[in-house]
Amino acid sequence: MSNNLEGKGDNNISKAEEVDSQPDMAATSAAMDGVAAAALRSVLQRVHHAAERSGRGPNQVSVVAVSKTKPISVIRQVYDAGHRVFGENYVQEILEKAPQLPEDIEWHFIGNLQSNKVKPLLTGVPNLAMVESVDDEKIANNLDRVVGSIGRKPLKVLVQVNTSGEATKYGMEPSGCVELAKHVSLDCPNLEFCGLMTIGMPDYTSTPENFKTLANCRSEVCKALGIPEEQCELSMGMSNDFEQAIEMGSTIVRIGSTIFGAREYPKKKSN
């Protein structure tokens, strides 16, 4: 676009600015609606290239679109763009959203799950595909019991491992992941052990070490269970490090802000 509008062209600028000050609301809404879908396409392309660099096909890496704090309308944009796998961190949020969205969505629960929230989660979200955050035997037993009592198909689960050693992080210590994986596989008939999950450190300084630790855990778990490593998922990598995670073996990446934009927390009311 030329910027050579001087002299008598100033009137044209004023008129243009006057028109722009009253934009077509429908057009603005349509433009906003396309942002998440375009971001999804960009992410999938980056996933594709990272998978190629790691010697795998793009169909060997799943993208969980983490819609935490995002409204139904924005989630629907990403759904309409063809995506079907979504994740939520909070039980109340997924219970509110899931009934308002298509039943063919595969929901992943990726946050800390308290025992008293297990039954509401499983009964309120029939299309819950996976719980990625099983970090002790108690929560595994509760999930197993409720899945059996409501008669749904076995629930896929991942064992969450605290690979960074941070006290503020949930997850089983690496030294305990084999025993928990064996417990889920052998003692929880209504659960399907599918692999391991981790969350790296917030500043990403030890991300490679975190991811390497999880990969080592997978080797130990698969040896103990007698299953090939290809059958054991690695859920690691988020918006800022998913390409590196894929290159280090991740098969599931959990991507929120890169698709949906910054999270929108409600403002606290001032006293």
Side-chain angles (χ1 to χ4, degrees), residues 85-119:
V85 185
F86 292 83
E88 285 289 343
N89 291 67
Y90 298 116
V91 171
Q92 190 57 42
E93 200 164 349
I94 194 172
L95 288 177
E96 292 171 359
K97 292 176 178 178
Q100 301 180 62
L101 289 159
E103 295 180 358
D104 64 338
I105 285 178
E106 297 179 22
W107 287 104
H108 285 218
F109 187 77
I110 61 177
N112 177 250
L113 183 57
Q114 298 174 331
S115 294
N116 64 341
K117 298 293 181 66
V118 168
K119 188 170 184 179

Side-chain angles (χ1 to χ4, degrees), residues 40 44 62-65 78-86 105 259:
L40 171 71
L44 294 177
S62 299
V63 174
V64 180
V78 177
Y79 175 90
D80 289 343
H83 202 66
R84 294 294 180 270
V85 185
F86 292 83
I105 285 178
I259 295 174

Side-chain angles (χ1 to χ4, degrees), residues 25-245:
M25 296 305 292
T28 302
S29 177
M32 294 285 286
D33 285 352
V35 171
L40 171 71
R41 288 190 289 271
S42 174
V43 163
L44 294 177
Q45 187 175 46
R46 290 168 65 186
V47 167
H48 180 101
H49 291 152
E52 284 187 338
R53 290 194 295 272
S54 66
R56 292 178 290 161
N59 61 335
Q60 293 178 282
V61 181
S62 299
V63 174
V64 180
V66 182
S67 47
K68 178 180 175 182
T69 79
K70 295 300 173 179
I72 296 296
S73 59
V74 180
I75 300 172
R76 174 70 77 160
Q77 291 172 34
V78 177
Y79 175 90
D80 289 343
H83 202 66
R84 294 294 180 270
V85 185
F86 292 83
E88 285 289 343
N89 291 67
Y90 298 116
V91 171
Q92 190 57 42
E93 200 164 349
I94 194 172
L95 288 177
E96 292 171 359
K97 292 176 178 178
Q100 301 180 62
L101 289 159
E103 295 180 358
D104 64 338
I105 285 178
E106 297 179 22
W107 287 104
H108 285 218
F109 187 77
I110 61 177
N112 177 250
L113 183 57
Q114 298 174 331
S115 294
N116 64 341
K117 298 293 181 66
V118 168
K119 188 170 184 179
L121 174 65
L122 290 172
T123 55
V125 189
N127 50 333
L128 182 70
M130 179 180 285
V131 171
E132 295 200 17
S133 47
V134 173
D135 59 1
D136 61 32
E137 289 190 6
K138 180 181 177 182
I139 199 67
N141 292 339
N142 278 327
L143 284 166
D144 180 64
R145 178 178 53 80
V146 175
V147 170
S149 69
I150 64 177
R152 62 155 282 166
K153 65 180 181 181
L155 176 69
K156 294 180 178 180
V157 301
L158 302 182
V159 167
Q160 182 174 352
V161 184
N162 184 344
T163 56
S164 66
E166 295 170 277
T168 56
K169 286 260 175 64
Y170 293 102
M172 170 65 63
E173 290 186 8
S175 61
C177 67
V178 169
E179 287 306 310
L180 183 53
K182 288 171 68 174
H183 177 75
V184 171
S185 297
L186 304 176
D187 301 325
C188 300
N190 298 303
L191 304 182
E192 179 184 348
F193 171 75
C194 291
L196 307 173
M197 181 269 260
T198 197
I199 301 172
M201 291 184 76
D203 62 1
Y204 304 104
T205 53
S206 68
T207 290
E209 290 81 4
N210 297 161
F211 292 166
K212 186 175 181 179
T213 296
L214 196 70
N216 290 340
C217 286
R218 176 172 68 175
S219 297
E220 295 174 8
V221 166
C222 290
K223 182 178 180 180
L225 295 178
I227 59 175
E229 291 191 13
E230 295 74 29
Q231 290 183 14
C232 189
E233 303 273 13
L234 285 184
S235 176
M236 59 187 195
M238 297 186 287
S239 283
N240 288 317
D241 56 11
F242 69 89
E243 288 160 301
Q244 183 178 25

